């Protein structure tokens, strides 16, 4: 069966510090991978998605970046955090290819507080 | 633009039935999803509808009317553990998922 791991679960960072959130998927090959951010009372905002190693699509211009160094590894980074980067970050995967029925499965999430 | 509308919050009583509505306007349609999200946790998949009609899964059912751009999630025999947010999401013609802001369901004894 497939599992998705995301860490760290919580972190408190000062403004201007770097960020690295990591996500790995087990039990599948060539998954589609996603990073979302969820602000309180708002819908999930897609930040990045990837259909393969080294292929990253950015949905929202910001000071965040993503990388996919291995097939089942997805990393969200920032060189200098802003207060507005605080939020709940979710990694997710779905089966490869476009299909209406492909279900998104989420990692446990990372709660980021920037002070 | 594309948008998903669902009520912000609903309250229901343990043992009762509740219906959470979702209306959508998207560029094309390739399916509608319902997810459950407990506070502080990740969303988990509940149901998927692509054809009109009712899909039943135990105590949960989901209905879709594509002509009306409308869906609902029906929860029966409510339990305290059903207290959560319920997210509606639609896949558009580009297979992008458009998310609603979620409905927070409060269950009272």
């Amino acid at each position: 069966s497939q599992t998705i791991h995301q860490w760290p679960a919580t972190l408190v960072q000062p403004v201007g510090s770097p960020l690295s959130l990591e996500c790995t998927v087990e039990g599948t090959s060539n998954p589609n991978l996603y990073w979302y951010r969820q602000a309180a009372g708002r819908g999930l905002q897609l930040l990045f998605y990837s259909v393969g190693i080294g292929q990253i699509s950015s949905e929202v211009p910001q000071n965040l970046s993503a990388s996919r160094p291995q097939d089942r590894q997805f990393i969200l980074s920032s060189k200098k955090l802003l207060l507005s980067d605080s939020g709940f970050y979710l990694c997710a995967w779905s089966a490869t290819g476009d299909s209406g029925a492909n279900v998104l499965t989420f990692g446990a999430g990372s709660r980021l507080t920037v002070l | 633009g594309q948008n998903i509308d669902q009520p912000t919050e609903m309250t229901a009583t343990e043992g009762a039935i509740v219906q959470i509505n979702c209306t959508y306007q998207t560029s094309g349609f390739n399916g509608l999803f319902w997810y459950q999200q407990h506070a502080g946790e990740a969303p988990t998949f509940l149901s998927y509808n692509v054809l009109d009609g009712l899909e039943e899964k135990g105590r949960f059912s989901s209905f879709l009317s594509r002509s009306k751009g409308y869906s609902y999630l029906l929860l029966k025999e409510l339990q305290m553990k059903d207290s959560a947010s319920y997210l509606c999401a639609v896949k558009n013609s580009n297979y992008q998922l458009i998310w609603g802001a979620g409905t927070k369901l409060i269950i009272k004894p």
Side-chain angles (χ1 to χ4, degrees), chain A residues 37-107:
Chain A
R37 178 167 60 201
Q38 187 176 36
R42 305 183 72 173
L44 290 168
Q45 179 187 36
L46 180 62
L47 301 176
F48 301 94
Y49 70 94
S50 170
V51 299
I53 296 174
Q55 300 178 61
I56 309 293
S57 296
S58 173
E59 292 295 307
V60 181
Q62 60 217 323
N63 70 321
L64 299 172
S65 62
S67 62
R68 185 171 177 172
Q70 300 180 44
D71 181 43
R72 290 168 289 178
Q73 183 185 26
F74 206 24
I75 298 171
L76 182 69
S77 305
S78 174
K79 292 182 180 176
K80 286 187 178 182
L81 284 169
L82 307 172
L83 286 174
S84 58
D85 292 324
S86 293
F88 191 45
Y89 289 81
L90 290 156
C91 180
W93 77 274
S94 68
T96 190
D98 279 332
S99 167
N102 280 353
V103 173
L104 267 187
T105 301
F106 290 89

Side-chain angles (χ1 to χ4, degrees), chain A residues 36 38 41-45 59 88 90 98-109 111, chain B residues 30-31 33 35 37 39-45 48 87 91 94-97 99-102:
Chain A
Y36 281 91
Q38 187 176 36
R42 305 183 72 173
L44 290 168
Q45 179 187 36
E59 292 295 307
F88 191 45
L90 290 156
D98 279 332
S99 167
N102 280 353
V103 173
L104 267 187
T105 301
F106 290 89
R111 175 82 53 193
Chain B
N30 274 303
F33 296 80
Y35 280 78
Q37 185 177 25
E41 298 182 8
T44 55
F45 170 73
Y48 169 70
L87 312 180
K91 253 188 199 178
N94 293 327
Y95 296 96
Q96 297 171 323
L97 261 181
W99 292 86

Side-chain angles (χ1 to χ4, degrees), chain B residues 38-81:
Chain B
H38 286 100
E41 298 182 8
T44 55
F45 170 73
L46 285 178
S47 67
Y48 169 70
N49 294 69
V50 67
L51 299 176
D52 290 352
L54 189 68
E55 295 278 346
E56 297 186 76
K57 258 189 201 181
R59 295 189 298 115
F60 292 7
S61 303
S62 56
F63 171 83
L64 174 67
S65 169
R66 288 171 296 170
S67 62
K68 295 181 179 177
Y70 168 71
S71 172
Y72 66 73
L73 181 68
L74 191 72
L75 291 74
K76 302 176 185 175
E77 301 169 16
L78 285 170
Q79 302 175 10
M80 297 304 293
K81 67 178 182 180

